[in-house]
């Protein structure tokens, strides 16, 4: 497989990048972002672009790919709905519309979040915006489109979030991961499971387009 990753320097992006480079059936990985990854690997190359809202200058480099793992995202804390929509919805759909045109047989996987609002009508701003983004991605016409809602992610292999508030939260929560896994396993996945599950749906598909925590765990086992 040839894999395209948006957001490979974030926690989820780092995780799926690692799993891709470990996988023998992944021949080529291209990471797209404002900065290059720090990983050096013969199967990995970077496309660095200062403006992810305008991909016209790199459109010719965005094919052919079998799958795209879209791992870009920001916290909604302190953001207006308009600003959060621009980053979460507009940026994602702009990239996806280009990719569905240049790679109609692509599997597109988007990292969203637990409690995303598919109705787009709830009281939570971030959940409405994520829900709208999910719905429009699934309607674009990719060969397959999967929405990952991972909930709590336990970072493995020294991966970490680029978002300061998330990093602080993970430091506080780290001693609790064992208890969460023991008593509420349906609320948490490891970063390895997320990466493996993404590869799994690219290889084999999945029975439903929206993957909650237990679905991600199941897809990772099959992968």
């Amino acid at each position: 497989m040839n894999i395209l990753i948006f957001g490979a320097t974030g926690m989820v992006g780092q995780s799926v990048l690692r799993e891709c480079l470990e996988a023998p059936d992944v021949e080529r990985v291209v990471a797209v972002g404002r900065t290059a990854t720090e990983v050096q690997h013969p199967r990995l190359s970077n496309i660095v672009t200062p403006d992810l809202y305008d991909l016209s200058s790199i459109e010719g480099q965005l094919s052919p790919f079998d799958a795209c793992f879209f791992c870009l995202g920001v916290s909604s804390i302190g953001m207006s709905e308009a600003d959060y929509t621009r980053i979460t919805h507009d940026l994602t759909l702009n990239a996806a519309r280009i990719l569905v045109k240049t790679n109609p047989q692509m599997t597109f996987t988007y990292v969203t979040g637990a409690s995303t609002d598919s109705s787009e009508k709830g009281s939570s701003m971030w959940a409405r915006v994520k829900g709208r983004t999910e719905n429009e991605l699934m309607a674009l016409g990719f060969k397959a489109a999967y929405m990952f809602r991972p909930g709590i992610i336990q970072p493995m292999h020294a991966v970490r979030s680029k978002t300061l508030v998330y990093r602080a939260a993970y430091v506080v929560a780290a001693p609790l991961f064992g208890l969460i896994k023991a008593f509420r396993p349906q609320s948490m996945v490891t970063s390895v499971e997320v990466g493996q599950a993404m590869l799994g749906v690219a290889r084999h598909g999945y029975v439903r387009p929206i993957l909650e925590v237990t679905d991600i765990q199941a897809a990772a086992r099959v992968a």
Side-chain angles (χ1 to χ4, degrees):
M1 293 188 293
N2 293 331
I3 305 292
L4 191 66
I5 303 176
F6 281 77
T9 59
M11 185 176 73
V12 174
Q14 292 171 51
S15 302
V16 71
L17 174 59
R18 181 183 183 278
E19 298 306 314
C20 285
L21 296 177
E22 292 278 330
D25 61 339
V26 175
E27 298 177 355
R28 176 179 176 232
V29 182
V30 176
V32 181
R34 294 187 183 92
T35 58
T37 67
E38 296 179 355
V39 178
Q40 300 293 318
H41 195 282
R43 286 185 284 152
L44 171 65
S45 58
N46 291 273
I47 299 176
V48 177
T49 178
D51 185 3
L52 291 171
Y53 291 93
D54 181 6
L55 302 178
S56 57
S57 64
I58 64 168
E59 185 171 342
Q61 302 176 63
L62 300 180
S63 65
F65 289 93
D66 301 291
C68 173
F69 301 141
F70 202 92
C71 307
L72 288 172
V74 295
S75 168
S76 64
I77 297 174
M79 297 187 73
S80 68
E81 184 163 351
D83 288 342
Y84 187 68
T85 297
R86 182 171 184 268
I87 296 173
T88 299
H89 171 273
D90 299 354
L91 188 152
T92 305
L93 267 294
N94 175 62
R97 290 185 183 113
I98 290 174
L99 292 175
V100 77
K101 178 177 66 175
T102 56
N103 302 272
Q105 292 302 303
M106 169 181 278
T107 295
F108 188 94
T109 297
Y110 174 59
V111 180
T112 169
S115 301
T116 290
D117 179 13
S118 296
S119 76
E120 307 177 35
K121 297 177 181 179
S123 60
S124 174
M125 178 272 284
W126 76 264
R128 290 195 310 270
V129 174
K130 287 280 194 180
R132 178 187 170 195
T133 306
E134 285 187 352
N135 291 337
E136 293 186 21
L137 287 172
M138 289 187 287
L140 274 183
F142 286 106
K143 182 185 79 171
Y146 296 102
M147 310 297 115
F148 272 46
R149 298 179 175 181
I152 302 170
I153 302 175
Q154 180 183 6
M156 309 288 286
H157 302 296
V159 302
R160 65 174 189 165
S161 173
K162 292 175 65 178
T163 304
L164 184 59
V165 66
Y166 286 172
R167 287 210 305 269
Y170 278 117
V171 169
V172 173
L176 303 176
F177 284 141
L179 290 174
I180 296 171
K181 189 171 184 178
F183 294 103
R184 287 191 59 82
Q186 74 279 10
S187 66
M188 186 181 78
V189 291
T190 69
S191 59
V192 170
E193 286 176 318
V194 175
Q196 289 178 342
M198 287 189 184
L199 281 171
V201 300
R203 292 182 183 119
H204 313 298
Y206 197 70
V207 294
R208 60 183 65 89
I210 296 176
L211 285 82
E212 305 286 356
V213 170
T214 54
D215 299 298
I216 294 170
Q217 292 167 340
R221 288 193 296 270
V222 173

